[in-house]
Amino acid sequence: MKIISSDLHAIAVDPKGYPEDDLPEIAFVGRSNVGKSSFINSMINRKNLARTSGKPGKTRTINFYIINDEFRFVDLPGYGYARVSKKEQDKWKDIIETYLSSRKNLAEIALIVDIRHEPTEQDVMMYDWIRSFGYRGIVVATKADKISKGKYHRNLKIIIDKLGLEDKNLIIPYSAIDKKNVERAWNMFESLI
Ligand SMILES: Nc1nc2c(ncn2[C@@H]2O[C@H](COP(=O)(O)OP(=O)(O)O)[C@@H](O)[C@H]2O)c(=O)[nH]1
Ligand SMILES: [Mg+2]
């Protein structure tokens, strides 16, 4: 994919704030701090368009990034950050679910997990939900630069088994640092947009 332009298009908490056009969107969900914003930045060769943060639990909004004026990447609020109240977590859950269940533009939802860790119950729930809505269920296993060679395949298998992936081509080991598999990720998304 040749990136000609990329911009923040909209920030929303509910459907009133979503962009009003027919451009296809690929949304990214995952735990807080898993690397969603870093994934988006590295895919589009931008250092800090999608805001990344050392402080987990900061993104409370849906951020729409428009690419080549043709499609959007959508950065959803991260779930599962223990240090925010239940009430606040429920609010984020509502923001995420409203978007995912109502958005006509949505071409695919990709789940981002950390390759070093077994997926959480919330990851499993999210993945089941994605599949039940008829999406393919692409999984990006990021932070691959942080895992030893010895653990790499073992951990991928743990993730595949825990999430119940039917096809192991659906999981993309990735690194925002060295851009491992950036081409493979683009090939996967290009067929959808
Ligand atoms: N080593 C490494 N660090 C990463 C990678 N992706 C994200 N990070 C770091 O993980 C932290 C959280 O990333 P961020 O993109 O803000 O996560 P988000 O909350 O899911 O959007 C930041 O300190 C990033 O620099 C990666 O592929 N490799
Ligand atoms: Mg983020």
Side-chain angles (χ1 to χ4, degrees):
M1 171 69 64
K2 189 166 158 49
I3 309 299
I4 296 156
S5 62
S6 55
D7 263 305
L8 178 62
H9 189 165
I11 296 178
V13 290
D14 59 38
K16 290 197 291 288
Y18 301 169
E20 289 178 27
D21 56 38
D22 295 328
L23 296 184
E25 293 171 354
I26 295 174
F28 300 97
V29 289
R31 277 187 304 115
S32 168
N33 223 34
V34 72
K36 295 177 296 300
S37 303
S38 302
F39 174 77
I40 292 174
N41 285 328
S42 67
M43 287 285 285
I44 60 180
N45 306 315
R46 294 284 298 258
K47 264 218 175 76
N48 216 359
L49 181 64
R51 268 154 285 177
T52 57
S53 166
K55 283 190 207 141
K58 272 201 82 185
T59 315
R60 294 140 209 260
T61 51
I62 303 179
N63 297 349
F64 296 83
Y65 299 98
I66 187 162
I67 299 156
N68 294 353
D69 293 323
E70 278 176 351
F71 62 93
R72 280 183 291 266
F73 275 177
V74 180
D75 196 358
L76 292 166
Y79 50 76
Y81 184 53
R83 293 231 293 268
V84 297
S85 68
K86 170 87 169 62
K87 200 174 155 214
E88 186 86 341
Q89 292 212 24
D90 284 347
K91 205 168 83 196
W92 296 356
K93 198 171 168 233
D94 186 49
I95 291 173
I96 296 168
E97 286 183 358
T98 300
Y99 171 82
L100 295 180
S101 61
S102 71
R103 186 63 166 159
K104 297 255 186 328
N105 306 50
L106 190 54
E108 184 60 45
I109 311 164
L111 176 70
I112 305 205
V113 297
D114 187 323
I115 197 168
R116 297 169 299 173
H117 306 304
E118 183 174 334
T120 64
E121 289 309 317
Q122 275 178 307
D123 290 329
V124 174
M125 270 170 56
M126 182 56 74
Y127 195 70
D128 288 347
W129 199 87
I130 289 169
R131 296 281 296 136
S132 75
F133 270 77
Y135 296 100
R136 289 169 79 185
I138 296 169
V139 178
V140 175
T142 196
K143 306 196 185 182
D145 58 285
K146 285 195 162 189
I147 197 169
S148 68
K149 278 218 177 83
K151 281 190 175 163
Y152 182 89
H153 291 288
R154 201 188 72 187
N155 279 37
L156 281 178
K157 186 167 182 333
I158 290 170
I159 295 166
I160 288 167
D161 290 347
K162 179 94 185 193
L163 295 177
L165 259 74
E166 283 159 12
D167 176 356
K168 45 183 202 324
N169 290 315
L170 286 171
I171 190 167
I172 308 171
Y174 191 83
S175 166
I177 301 289
D178 59 28
K179 294 214 187 190
K180 182 186 176 70
N181 283 335
V182 67
E183 288 301 327
R184 204 179 132 195
W186 271 121
N187 286 341
M188 189 85 102
F189 296 139
E190 268 173 19
S191 64
L192 300 164
I193 49 185

